[in-house]
Amino acid sequence: MATATETPVQVTPERILQMAWGYVPPLVLEAAIRHRVFDVLDGGPKTVAETAAATGASVRGLTAIMNALVGLNFLSKEGHARYGLTPESSAFLVSTKPGFQGGLIRHCSEHLIPRWLHLNEVVASGNPVSAVNDEKSGAAFFHDFVLDIFPMSYPAAQFLGAHVSFGSDGSPVRVLDLAAGSGVWGIALAQSSPRVHVTAVDWPEVIPVTKKTSARFGLADRFSFVEGDLHDADFGSGYALATLGHILHSEGEALGKKLLAKTFRALAPGGTIAIAEFLVNKERTGPVNGLFFAVNMLVNTQNGTTWSVEEISEWLREAGFTDPRTIPSPGHSPLILATKP
Ligand SMILES: C[S@@+](CC[C@H](N)C(=O)[O-])C[C@H]1O[C@@H](n2cnc3c(N)ncnc32)[C@H](O)[C@@H]1O
């Protein structure tokens, strides 16, 4: 209770009313991406009528979503008439730009939100309606999903390539790309040094995507593929570097630790493990994206969640790794590295 000398904190229901419409931003963004609004505005500011003519969408529909996008600062509005891109939408929402993040947004209405609609029952039971960590339902989901999240990790993967700096001279260097998906980590590492040969591991349904993407980058002859479940597949051994891109969160603690121990065995002495993850602080008070992603794992996996750097570092030590450390990266979180002595 406030005393006479304290100013009472003014609370308003404004934030709660905003939360009631919390599904609006991703769905408005998806509609704008699907109707090519950002692509069309990349050619210069336009009126709604001009945007309708260029996209084939309705004037009424575009008026509503383009104004909402102005409210969300994804579009600017000159006077009452012309809408333009902001620096952020220009960099990340135009489909022809290398930084395009709209692939993920495009999955909101068909794949992501329908699963979240079961959150009430999932919280009651503690179990997902269907689990993407299970090959039966996960492989089809990831087949369609992994290419669209390529831009999310490509800058961080390029940064890792520069950090490990294998250079251009010397004997071949073998890299193990675990849960490869699009192959984004292996692709950037192969591009970073002609010495690198990548072994990519993923489910048989997803490996064709890895093959197609690595071939599109002209790297087909620098990749080998292992089709199978991470927990059964033979990784081989003698690798200088192993990447675990966005896989620990769907595994849960027991399988995550097993995977780290198996990765340790596959590395050569002196080899490095590199982990990309959505992270939370050890008190689990933030960052909010990491806390949200833990709910996403509740909805979509049997035991998945998000972890702190401290927890993952402890698991790495238990697996035999030394010097767990983070390096800042241009991705959503720092990368966690450790060394096999
Ligand atoms: C979130 S995606 C990450 C892809 C890529 N590493 C990245 O960072 O963009 C997870 C990948 O792990 C694969 N995966 C998940 N569980 C697996 C398992 N038990 N065995 C093999 N692959 C698995 C999925 O097929 C998918 O390609």
Side-chain angles (χ1 to χ4, degrees):
M1 208 158 59
T3 64
T5 52
E6 284 172 355
T7 316
V9 180
Q10 285 296 325
V11 291
T12 76
E14 177 64 21
R15 240 165 55 81
I16 291 166
L17 293 178
Q18 259 179 26
M19 297 292 153
W21 297 108
Y23 49 84
V24 172
L27 291 174
V28 164
L29 278 172
E30 180 178 335
I33 288 163
R34 286 188 181 274
H35 289 289
R36 300 181 44 252
V37 169
F38 300 108
D39 289 0
V40 162
L41 295 182
D42 193 38
K46 292 190 176 44
T47 63
V48 171
E50 289 165 344
T51 311
T55 61
S58 70
V59 166
R60 182 171 182 233
L62 288 175
T63 303
I65 66 165
M66 288 167 74
N67 284 334
L69 289 165
V70 173
L72 289 165
N73 293 319
F74 287 116
L75 292 182
S76 61
K77 198 173 183 179
E78 293 168 15
H80 290 296
R82 297 170 86 79
Y83 296 75
L85 298 180
T86 62
E88 187 183 26
S89 55
S90 170
F92 301 120
L93 293 172
V94 175
S95 70
T96 50
K97 301 270 179 80
F100 180 60
Q101 305 288 324
L104 175 63
I105 298 283
R106 257 201 299 251
H107 287 270
C108 283
S109 64
E110 275 176 36
H111 295 127
L112 302 175
I113 292 178
R115 292 165 175 267
W116 275 73
L117 294 179
H118 299 282
L119 183 59
N120 290 339
E121 11 173 338
V122 170
V123 169
S125 70
N127 295 313
V129 172
S130 81
V132 298
N133 60 299
D134 178 53
E135 185 171 357
K136 259 194 264 124
S137 49
F141 172 80
F142 282 119
H143 178 276
D144 295 339
F145 191 63
V146 289
L147 203 50
D148 282 332
I149 57 171
F150 184 100
M152 185 178 81
S153 295
Y154 191 49
Q158 288 176 309
F159 182 85
L160 177 63
H163 179 82
V164 292
S165 182
F166 289 126
S168 50
D169 299 326
S171 50
V173 172
R174 294 176 58 226
V175 168
L176 180 62
D177 185 355
L178 294 169
S182 64
V184 56
W185 296 92
I187 286 168
L189 287 157
Q191 286 176 320
S192 77
S193 161
R195 298 171 63 202
V196 166
H197 185 96
V198 180
T199 300
V201 187
D202 210 301
W203 282 320
E205 295 87 336
V206 181
I207 283 291
V209 181
T210 327
K211 282 189 179 162
K212 217 190 281 178
T213 318
S214 50
R216 221 182 56 213
F217 279 84
L219 297 166
D221 59 341
R222 311 266 303 284
F223 267 69
S224 308
F225 303 93
V226 177
E227 299 183 353
D229 193 277
L230 289 168
H231 299 288
D232 309 323
D234 181 358
F235 295 168
S237 59
Y239 296 95
L241 174 68
T243 61
L244 275 80
H246 305 104
I247 183 66
L248 281 186
H249 57 239
S250 56
E251 292 297 277
E253 183 166 351
L255 286 178
K257 285 181 174 180
K258 248 175 93 176
L259 185 55
L260 295 186
K262 188 170 173 183
T263 308
F264 182 85
R265 293 193 293 277
L267 282 166
T272 305
I273 185 171
I275 296 171
E277 265 312 330
F278 300 103
L279 298 166
V280 285
N281 62 25
K282 61 179 190 299
E283 298 81 17
R284 287 191 162 68
T285 56
V288 76
N289 275 345
L291 300 173
F292 283 2
F293 206 82
V295 188
N296 190 38
M297 289 298 95
L298 167 74
V299 169
N300 285 293
T301 68
Q302 273 136 353
N303 296 303
T305 187
T306 44
W307 310 101
S308 66
V309 171
E310 290 80 2
E311 285 162 329
I312 294 174
S313 300
E314 190 48 42
W315 301 0
L316 286 164
R317 282 192 206 93
E318 275 176 37
F321 289 97
T322 56
D323 192 20
R325 56 203 180 271
T326 57
I327 55 167
S329 95
H332 51 75
S333 312
L335 297 175
I336 303 176
L337 269 52
T339 307
K340 175 171 175 170

